[in-house]
Amino acid sequence: MAWIIVIVIIALIVVWLISSYNSFVTWRNKVEEAFATMDVYLKKRYDMIPNLVETVKGYAKHESETLEAVISARNQAVNASSIDEKIAAEKGFAGVLGRLFALTESYPDLKANQNFIELQTQIKQMEDEIASSRKYYNGVVKTFNTKLEMFPGNLIAGMFGFHKEPMFEVSNETERENVKVQF
């Protein structure tokens, strides 16, 4: 009779371990899916930037330093491979993009250009989609990280090598402000 109780207890522990492990796998996959979704929106935005730069270039020929910085930051963001690298590159890119939009204030003809207006509208829509996907990503990461740190989940996480995922946060206070685009 004692052996049956021991076997039942061991079976319950094994079922709990399997269930906990599978839960971590599910949440890790949700984190990856959330980041991949955001990454798609970021790529779409990065693909729009060369068109925007070319449009601005025609009006602001002597602003080549800003335009080159935008393209350089875009290329770094596109070529980033890990989540941490992509988050870091995106932070730098957002700051440079803000400089580009600030630059356009000096060129009234540019602000009236139909191509520029359309690109600006598309980028605004893309920024809204990126913000929504960041919010979703951070929500999933928060749930995963909380599960990872709470007892007894932290024991399972440690045994199977699950680690805390980074939040997509803005570290620079000036980048927390919306990019002001006026025409």
Side-chain angles (χ1 to χ4, degrees):
M1 184 71 165
W3 289 104
I4 293 175
I5 293 173
V6 170
I7 290 173
V8 168
I9 290 173
I10 290 172
L12 288 174
I13 291 172
V14 168
V15 167
W16 174 76
L17 282 171
I18 291 170
S19 174
S20 294
Y21 175 81
N22 288 341
S23 178
F24 277 111
V25 169
T26 298
W27 280 101
R28 180 185 61 201
N29 289 340
K30 286 181 180 185
V31 167
E32 290 171 359
E33 179 268 335
F35 190 84
T37 299
M38 183 174 42
D39 202 32
V40 167
Y41 291 128
L42 292 172
K43 180 165 178 9
K44 283 181 181 180
R45 184 181 65 182
Y46 300 148
D47 290 345
M48 285 188 232
I49 297 306
N51 294 333
L52 182 66
V53 167
E54 286 302 315
T55 303
V56 173
K57 199 182 281 187
Y59 289 88
K61 292 183 171 91
H62 63 282
E63 303 287 357
S64 62
E65 182 180 314
T66 300
L67 299 174
E68 288 171 11
V70 169
I71 292 299
S72 175
R74 175 208 175 262
N75 291 341
Q76 282 182 315
V78 168
N79 294 326
S81 56
S82 72
I83 289 177
D84 289 330
E85 287 175 4
K86 287 182 185 217
I87 289 172
E90 175 59 23
K91 288 176 184 176
F93 178 74
V96 178
L97 188 59
R99 284 184 16 214
L100 176 67
F101 284 130
L103 170 78
T104 63
E105 290 299 312
S106 304
Y107 299 93
D109 291 341
L110 173 61
K111 293 191 289 187
N113 179 286
Q114 188 61 36
N115 288 340
F116 184 77
I117 292 169
E118 287 175 22
L119 284 167
Q120 188 273 331
T121 301
Q122 290 173 2
I123 288 174
K124 166 97 174 75
Q125 290 171 342
M126 194 60 53
E127 292 298 327
D128 291 343
E129 291 174 0
I130 290 168
S132 293
S133 65
R134 280 183 186 158
K135 184 177 178 180
Y136 175 69
Y137 170 79
N138 283 339
V140 171
V141 167
K142 181 185 93 176
T143 301
F144 177 78
N145 287 346
T146 300
K147 182 175 180 52
L148 189 87
E149 293 174 345
M150 291 177 64
F151 182 82
N154 59 351
L155 300 175
I156 303 301
M159 284 176 24
F160 292 105
F162 291 99
H163 61 278
K164 195 172 181 180
E165 294 292 336
M167 297 290 263
F168 203 112
E169 299 175 314
V170 177
S171 58
N172 184 336
E173 287 299 319
T174 59
E175 290 176 13
R176 290 184 190 274
E177 300 171 10
N178 287 338
V179 175
K180 186 176 181 181
V181 181
Q182 290 181 317
F183 301 103

